[in-house]
Amino acid sequence: MPHPNPYWARNLRYLTILLAIWFAVSFGCGILFADALNAIRIPGTGFKLGFWFAQQGSIYVFVVLIFVYARLMNRLDRECGVAEE
Amino acid sequence: MDVRLWTFILVGLSFALYIGVAIRSRAGSTKDFYVAGTGVSPLANGMATAADWMSAASFISMAGLISFMGYDGSVYLMGWTGGYVLLAMLLAPYLRKFGAYTVPEFVGERYYSQVARVVAVACAIFVSFTYVSGQMRGVGIVFSRFLEVDVTVGVIIGMGIVFFYAVLGGMKGITYTQVAQYCVLIFAYMVPALFLAVMLSGTPIPQLGFGGADPESGVFLLDKLDGLHRELGFTAYTDGTKSTIDVFFITAALMVGTAGLPHVIIRFYTVPRVRDARVSVGWALLFIAVLYTTAPAVAVFARTNLLDTVAGQPYEAMPEWFSKWEDTGLITFEDKDGDGNIRYVGDADANELTIDRDIMVLANPEISRLPNWVVGLVAAGGLAAALSTAAGLLLVISSAISHDLLKRALKPDISEKGELLAARISAAFAVVVAGLLGINPPGFVAQTVAFAFGLAASSFFPVIILGTFTRSMNREGAIAGMLSGITFTAAYIIHFRFVNPAADSPANWWFGISPEGIGTVGMLINFAVALTVSKFTSAPPASVRELVDRIRVPGGTG
């Protein structure tokens, strides 16, 4: 059954994808799999990968995710004719 | 010039700047006072949010905490930034579209209930007072250590400044002073970090120097630190001592709590449009990330420097900063084996040195022998962080009293002018109470931080999400959810922190989840109870369903 409001359905799809990435970099790479990832080193640095995700990488990804969401939604606003002046 | 003179000059200049900005942005209406007339640009709002959010705890305590906790400190780094992703995607745009002045207002309207509104007001006031007393205390510490004035005098000076611009300018005054305060605090944080990065790793960028190597020996700093830690009997820096489940739940509670904190949420009411709210969260997190990605680097530099300077060294050879901090009682040395050397080791029985974690950032420039002006700059930055957060919180308290209680519940026919006056009086009242709490901090201030986040996570977050993402959530479900979430979280924290602190250990916690992380469970309970109760009670009226449909789509915000 098609969703009665296509704008909202698209928004929910963006949210699902972006929040999955949000969860993967922080709770996944930074916590649940941190020990396993710590076996890998970022070449040329002292960073173990799990530790780096927990203290640096996840934060960079968070910033990018928000700007990506803002862009996607601005485009969607225009496509659906609900963009604000 | 000596440190004290530099501190006076830099703190004085920064205060003059805030007052100047405040005079230029006085509030003329309640809309100015509560939401800065919704005319703030997304970039400026992002900067103001960053200053609002980064408190004395972020500026003064966080790097120190991380430097003692190592990997476990990641809970703060991820927890206090990841919440902004939730805010940008799940809360800010819809709340901006709704166009309220406060968080309780949204709860009251969406759930067509005065009870829900009053519960939300009580949560907002409690969370904000808990938080603000910690800020005032931060102000007191900076004054007493750097300007060598009494803590009470320090708090009174801080109160006077906040009083001036919060009462006069409301949200409008606060917003533009926060922009100035962000600039001061980030400059003050980065300068010593750059110095340290060059000294310890040979690169000026702390985020890279953190993973870099000692320029002389070529050993990576993190490897060196792990090695030193093992030698002295501490857990390796890049490993943690907390269990994985506890790290998971604490991080989640801090993220969700951040997204549910009223003083953060209301900042996104101040921008003109829904699209501005979305991108403004991005700017806010970018500005926050500058400090939050630097902090773990500072933590590593500070820890390395500290171990090099004190561990195993003779007490007589300690530099001047050591005895100054000893005077404040924040460093204590007890020569247990009587050999005159400082034994700093992981084993508590043999360890002779106790260092308060809060002093690391403030002491860092002195430990590393940076120029005097840098020390003064750090003091000014710490004050900027504490004052900006205090002002944001005081505004939440004042608007909860004058708008949600007085205008919406007790005296709906109050005039615009009357409400503005009431808002100013309640802001003044809140400043005084916060100051008193700062001068006589209740012994449990530090403990109640877990409370603020736990309560925000287990009360506001679920009802706002359900209010936007479901159309069927009703009054009964929301009230039952908020009350059960809060009660559970509060009971767990009170039990382990106040009633039976002796039992506060991983062996007794449910599933190994500490009181800091229990807000996550409270949030899940809130969701579960709300969804269950709403299934068995009457659906919300048609007007509320239409309201939800309206919130979901941008356009037509005023």
Side-chain angles (χ1 to χ4, degrees), chain B residues 100-268:
Chain B
Y101 285 164
T102 67
V103 175
E105 183 156 40
F106 174 81
V107 176
E109 299 293 320
R110 168 61 183 81
Y111 295 109
Y112 46 100
S113 158
Q114 290 291 21
V115 178
R117 188 195 301 271
V118 173
V119 171
V121 168
C123 292
I125 291 180
F126 184 81
V127 168
S128 303
F129 264 124
T130 309
Y131 230 85
V132 82
S133 51
Q135 303 308 318
M136 283 298 173
R137 203 168 143 60
V139 172
I141 290 178
V142 173
F143 268 106
S144 63
R145 169 61 184 79
F146 288 96
L147 299 172
E148 291 162 41
V149 297
D150 191 56
V151 175
T152 310
V153 178
V155 171
I156 290 172
I157 297 173
M159 270 168 62
I161 299 283
V162 175
F163 186 90
F164 187 78
Y165 61 75
V167 173
L168 200 68
M171 185 58 121
K172 201 171 161 200
I174 287 174
T175 302
Y176 295 106
T177 37
Q178 279 172 339
V179 170
Q181 281 160 339
Y182 177 79
C183 299
V184 172
L185 85 87
I186 204 69
F187 185 67
Y189 204 83
M190 296 311 288
V191 167
L194 300 183
F195 269 112
L196 286 169
V198 171
M199 281 167 58
L200 277 102
S201 65
T203 153
I205 301 166
Q207 286 83 347
L208 299 179
F210 181 21
D214 183 30
E216 280 165 33
S217 66
V219 179
F220 287 120
L221 284 179
L222 286 166
D223 291 337
K224 180 180 169 190
L225 203 49
D226 277 349
L228 280 172
H229 267 226
R230 279 195 206 95
E231 236 171 73
L232 298 171
F234 298 104
T235 316
Y237 190 83
T238 54
D239 286 334
T241 53
K242 288 187 196 297
S243 68
T244 301
I245 183 170
D246 200 24
V247 170
F248 189 100
F249 274 79
I250 295 176
T251 306
L254 295 178
M255 282 188 186
V256 176
T258 302
L261 281 174
H263 72 286
V264 177
I265 295 177
I266 58 166
R267 286 238 49 102
F268 298 97

Side-chain angles (χ1 to χ4, degrees), chain B residues 54 81 205 278 282 292 405 540 554:
Chain B
M54 292 191 286
T81 53
I205 301 166
R278 293 186 201 119
Y292 271 60
L405 283 184

Side-chain angles (χ1 to χ4, degrees), chain B residues 298-367:
Chain B
V298 170
V300 163
F301 301 149
R303 185 76 183 156
T304 311
N305 257 342
L306 180 76
L307 292 179
D308 281 347
T309 313
V310 301
Q313 304 297 319
Y315 179 68
E316 288 306 315
M318 282 299 112
E320 191 194 351
W321 61 264
F322 192 92
S323 58
K324 271 193 181 170
W325 284 104
E326 269 188 311
D327 293 343
T328 62
L330 295 171
I331 288 182
T332 51
F333 169 64
E334 185 195 350
D335 198 1
K336 287 176 187 159
D337 55 8
D339 66 353
N341 289 338
I342 297 175
R343 207 139 74 111
Y344 183 50
V345 292
D347 176 10
D349 291 329
N351 180 41
E352 300 176 344
L353 181 69
T354 320
I355 303 167
D356 190 287
R357 296 161 184 215
D358 284 352
I359 69 174
M360 290 306 292
V361 165
L362 298 177
N364 223 347
E366 292 174 290
I367 297 178

Side-chain angles (χ1 to χ4, degrees), chain A residues 27-43:
Chain A
F27 293 99
C29 300
I31 298 175
L32 296 174
F33 305 113
D35 286 341
L37 290 176
N38 276 343
I40 307 167
R41 261 176 193 262
I42 300 179

